[in-house]
Amino acid sequence: MAVFDFDTVINRENTASVKWEQVKQVFGQEDVLPMWVADMDFNPPHEVAEAIKKRIEHEILGYTFIPDSTGEAIQAWLKKRHNWEIHPAWIAYCTGIVPAISTAIQAFTEPGDKVLLQSPVYHPFFRMVEKNGRVVANAQLKLVDNCFEIDWEQFETRLKEGAKLFLSCNPHNPGGRVWTKEELAKMADLCAQYNCLFLSDEIHSDLVYPPHVHTPVAALGETYRDMTITCVAPTKTFNLAGLKASAVIIPNPELRKKFKDVQAVNGTSALNTFGIVGMEAAYRYGGEWLDALLVYLKENIDTAARFIAERLPQIKVMETEGTYLMWLDCRAFGLSEDELKDRLWKKAKLGVEIGRKFGPGGEGFVRINIACPRETLMEGLSRLEKAFA
């Protein structure tokens, strides 16, 4: 078995890294340790870089189409990793999940329509709904024994009120929940009952820790398949966000045509050459690397949870079932959003996301990205302790 190095600290300066080179713009000072935006500080699978190098050796970078082999690689990956049988013809390609969500909002709703969300949730969900002139219908998640649960009464009420599209996040960002088959089926059944389409953002689906298992909602049966738009990408899984490549899987031909028609209007259906090459190489050859990564990430999660339990017992750590993002309940300190920023960003020089950014239910929480070498993680944890000393 190959040995993968996740311990070496890699200098990411002079690469136009948002995470490392925009800390002053985001946090107000240069010497902040960035543990915020969701990319990893690890080299991706070697085969991805090799595939891109091989392609660039040709030197001519003309117009590129997406070959059948790319769809076949995605098909094989989803079958092997998630036991989901898809057809490559179901795939529409997009430069990212956020553009895909915006396209879906335009394709499947009208201005003024309601779009259902479950806050606290990935903040661009709110932005895409509002920028497209639609209305956020929020069914806030319930916090039960330090775990997010679905508020079924509120969920059904928002559907009764006429929500046309549900934006689901599975695994959940920022909470790290991996929704169960039963939860997914109940949400989908309610959406079907009230004629609401189900968009499932599954960008973190490959980053799930046993005993938890990711289930694509579209894999639960034909009824669910025909009402679902599923967004996947290699970008979180393999640390390839800069390649700007994602796949939107729409089995229903009528829905797929509507989605592609909006892409045609907006001119957004093409991927760049390296996005195509990198996506295919990652899905074809990245499995062994991912298996090793998941072990390392779980060790980081456990290390952070132990550290916080021992040194900062006032902070409750939500169990991270999936993703490499940890959701920390800091409400026991009784600090406002500005006070949290002051403690973390200014005093401790730790760049983390403040929970209010993720909508109602995020107040008093902090999201921290642990996808980094252990040395970086320990430095971040010592700064977290300093913030609340």
Side-chain angles (χ1 to χ4, degrees):
M1 183 176 172
V3 177
F4 301 97
D5 176 15
F6 300 112
D7 277 321
T8 297
V9 176
I10 300 166
N11 187 334
R12 297 183 59 187
E13 290 178 10
N14 302 313
T15 63
S17 165
V18 168
K19 182 178 183 179
W20 285 88
E21 295 183 72
Q22 291 199 319
V23 289
K24 187 170 185 182
Q25 293 95 309
V26 176
F27 302 107
Q29 43 205 357
E30 295 278 9
D31 51 351
V32 169
L33 181 67
M35 300 181 78
W36 62 297
V37 70
D39 76 5
M40 299 189 272
D41 292 320
F42 308 129
N43 281 327
H46 179 68
E47 293 86 351
V48 176
E50 287 303 305
I52 290 171
K53 285 176 190 174
K54 184 178 177 184
R55 174 62 186 85
I56 205 168
E57 280 172 5
H58 188 277
E59 296 192 5
I60 296 177
L61 300 173
Y63 289 114
T64 311
F65 67 91
I66 301 169
D68 292 344
S69 57
T70 304
E72 290 161 4
I74 296 168
Q75 178 188 39
W77 181 265
L78 292 173
K79 170 62 178 168
K80 183 175 182 180
R81 305 298 293 207
H82 304 299
N83 197 30
W84 182 22
E85 296 265 14
I86 73 157
H87 194 287
W90 298 351
I91 301 171
Y93 294 93
C94 199
T95 53
I97 303 293
V98 174
I101 289 169
S102 182
T103 301
I105 289 168
Q106 293 169 36
F108 306 126
T109 67
E110 299 293 334
D113 280 349
K114 292 176 181 176
V115 178
L116 175 58
L117 313 180
Q118 295 171 303
S119 77
V121 73
Y122 182 50
H123 48 90
F125 278 23
F126 294 93
R127 190 172 75 242
M128 289 302 100
V129 173
E130 291 161 355
K131 290 286 186 185
N132 280 294
R134 276 64 168 174
V135 178
V136 170
N138 187 28
Q140 185 178 324
L141 295 169
K142 293 194 295 186
L143 193 61
V144 180
D145 296 328
N146 199 35
C147 179
F148 279 138
E149 292 185 5
I150 294 155
D151 186 328
W152 294 110
E153 185 180 347
Q154 204 177 136
F155 189 87
E156 186 168 8
T157 297
R158 297 295 169 264
L159 290 168
K160 281 180 181 175
E161 291 169 352
K164 300 295 185 190
L165 179 67
F166 168 44
L167 303 185
S168 168
C169 193
N170 183 36
H172 181 260
N173 174 11
R177 267 300 313 272
V178 177
W179 303 119
T180 65
K181 284 184 182 179
E182 293 73 23
E183 288 168 321
L184 291 166
K186 187 172 179 179
M187 285 189 284
D189 285 339
L190 285 167
C191 285
Q193 182 182 339
Y194 293 101
N195 198 28
C196 177
L197 293 176
F198 195 122
L199 186 147
S200 188
D201 172 3
E202 300 183 11
I203 196 169
H204 290 100
S205 57
D206 299 316
L207 300 164
V208 171
Y209 311 102
H212 306 285
V213 177
H214 173 75
T215 303
V217 68
L220 289 174
E222 222 170 284
T223 306
Y224 306 112
R225 187 186 72 190
D226 285 341
M227 58 179 281
T228 303
I229 302 98
T230 305
C231 300
V232 298
T235 48
K236 291 286 183 279
T237 306
F238 301 106
N239 204 27
L240 303 171
L243 290 184
K244 300 287 186 185
S246 69
V248 186
I249 301 161
I250 313 176
N252 184 320
E254 186 182 330
L255 296 182
R256 190 165 65 249
K257 182 181 184 302
K258 285 184 177 179
F259 186 90
K260 288 189 170 184
D261 284 348
V262 172
Q263 283 193 307
V265 169
N266 294 337
T268 57
S269 58
L271 299 184
N272 76 75
T273 301
F274 303 119
I276 297 165
V277 171
M279 173 186 266
E280 182 170 336
Y283 282 136
R284 284 202 186 280
Y285 308 113
E288 196 178 358
W289 178 92
L290 176 60
D291 291 339
L293 171 77
L294 288 170
V295 171
Y296 194 88
L297 291 177
K298 186 63 169 72
E299 288 171 355
N300 271 5
I301 289 165
D302 292 344
T303 298
R306 278 194 306 270
F307 182 100
I308 293 167
E310 291 168 8
R311 308 278 192 92
L312 293 160
Q314 305 96 320
I315 296 177
K316 292 182 184 175
V317 181
M318 189 174 286
E319 183 191 351
T320 307
E321 301 173 356
T323 81
Y324 47 73
L325 306 164
M326 297 183 73
W327 189 237
L328 311 181
D329 183 350
C330 302
R331 291 177 299 169
F333 296 108
L335 301 172
S336 68
E337 181 183 16
D338 285 340
E339 287 170 331
L340 268 177
K341 287 179 181 177
D342 194 63
R343 291 280 193 101
L344 291 157
W345 297 359
K346 292 181 183 175
K347 179 183 175 185
K349 299 189 185 301
L350 179 64
V352 291
E353 299 275 27
I354 306 301
R356 189 175 175 186
K357 184 176 186 177
F358 300 90
E363 300 87 353
F365 286 77
V366 166
R367 192 191 80 172
I368 186 168
N369 173 359
I370 56 80
C372 56
R374 196 80 25 89
E375 179 185 330
T376 306
L377 175 67
M378 296 314 298
E379 173 62 24
L381 292 172
S382 70
R383 293 186 188 208
L384 183 70
E385 184 179 18
K386 181 183 177 183
F388 298 110

